[in-house]
Amino acid sequence: MNYQSTRSCSGAVTSAQAIAQGLCGDGGLFVPEAFPAVSAEELTKMESENYQQRAQRILAKYLTDFTEEEIRECVSLAYQPQCFPGGAAPVSTLRNGTCFLELWHGPTCAFKDMALQILPHLLTRSLKKINTGKKALILVATSGDTGKAALEGFQDVPETSIMVFYPKDGVSPMQERQMRTQEGNNVSVCAVEGNFDDTQTGVKLIFGDQKIQEHLAKKGLMFSSANSINWGRLLPQIVYYFSAYCDLCACGKIKRGEQVNFTVPTGNFGDILAAYYAKKMGLPVKKLICASNANNVLTDFLTTGVYSRNREFYTTISPSMDILISSNLERLLFDLTDRNAEQVAGWMRQLRETGEYKVDGNTLAKIRELFSAGFCGDDETREEIRSLYETNQYLCDPHTAVAARVYEKYRSKTGDDTQTVIVSTASPYKFAPEVLKALVKGSSSGDGFEAVRSLSGRTGTPVPVPIAALESKPVRFSFSCQKEKMSEAVLSLVDSKSV
Ligand SMILES: *Cc1c(COP(=O)(O)O)cnc(C)c1O
């Protein structure tokens, strides 16, 4: 299996190369040259397997330059039961039959763990395979969740070190605390005096700085990235769609071969794209329902074919979906245009130059066949959190609530009663102050930990261990730097003994 760019047909590479490199040289994203099939027979066999075994199967179909043993190591290091105490991706069914695929039982209580727990292991093995002889220094710019998940994933992984930059006043107090208390001998965290854009621009400049790269090379290091367009982050996400389907078959909720819908709270389009890839591999999926918050650029695109980022940006209570450019959409377009790299490159150029593009009628027709899309605002999100709890005693976070509300709208509009799985992307405790406010109107919760305790007291649900443990953990990192000084922060880390 080889991988090519979404923007040109030349220069196919192995999966190790694609994972080590992250982004293609032409600015495109790596995509597999084909989608390996999972037969109905194989799907039945997977019903009796655990999550690691299911992951092993799916990954092996794509990572053909890895040995079975290597994949087994990666999978078992990533999805250890002690890291995912509630199971890696359990399906929770309400009394009214609604299913939630809970992807937040990992160490940072958000679905990014599903990919970032395994990426470091895939990456270190990929670097060995392409024979760089160098250790990886991972740089991350984060607006919150990704930084912590990456720190946890790379913590004490041999041959790697990681440095995370976050905007000083741009993350929640809980997120900041999660990062500043991070354990591990190869991790480093730095606040930037600026906003998220400044932080991201700073990291991009460092990646592109020849002088810094030469300095790193002398020390036996090279930069690498853990961002969401890396194939090594997307691939592990395909697994849980298969896993959910197998669990539903195994418990008799659906018959073998029966179609299901997935509703996915969407930002960068990675999670829902993985569901589309699962469908391409043969998973019986009917509709993919794309749920957005007030930043509804995808709702508009998937219904009209016009993608326009020229619109107001809203800060919402589901911040991980506050996004106007959904990078992974490019991979979908590549597939729907029958791998027309020139066409995709053209649309991406228009997006860069004018902030918008419009796909042709044929592509739009395919999109509308596969996807349905909707959005809801903060008030509806709060209402949904409350009603799910009051009616079904199911406590969910704001991102999951957006998906649940959009699904209800879809169902009443279409009358489609196909069994649907709502993807649940974060623990409610990760957003405790907002969730508490939704349940108890007018409640004000002081600091994050007070809200956590109050939420647990009111609902009788347990606080996830990683969040409970946070309050007593010592702060290890309290550095901050000006946005112009980020490269100096990296160099001083490189010159210290800690990498
Ligand atoms: C990142 C994130 C999302 C969005 O996922 P994409 O793959 O970017 O579409 C949704 N919910 C939560 C909690 C997230 O952290």
Side-chain angles (χ1 to χ4, degrees), residues 472-487:
S472 61
K473 273 196 182 166
V475 168
R476 295 186 62 209
F477 304 100
S478 47
F479 316 119
S480 66
C481 72
Q482 295 170 308
K483 61 186 183 201
E484 298 79 14
K485 299 274 169 70
M486 289 168 64
S487 55

Side-chain angles (χ1 to χ4, degrees), residues 79 84 106-118 149 152:
Y79 304 114
F84 289 86
T108 76
C109 305
F111 102 96
K112 304 234 170 8
D113 288 333
M114 297 302 296
L116 279 164
Q117 281 295 305
I118 192 166
E152 276 293 325

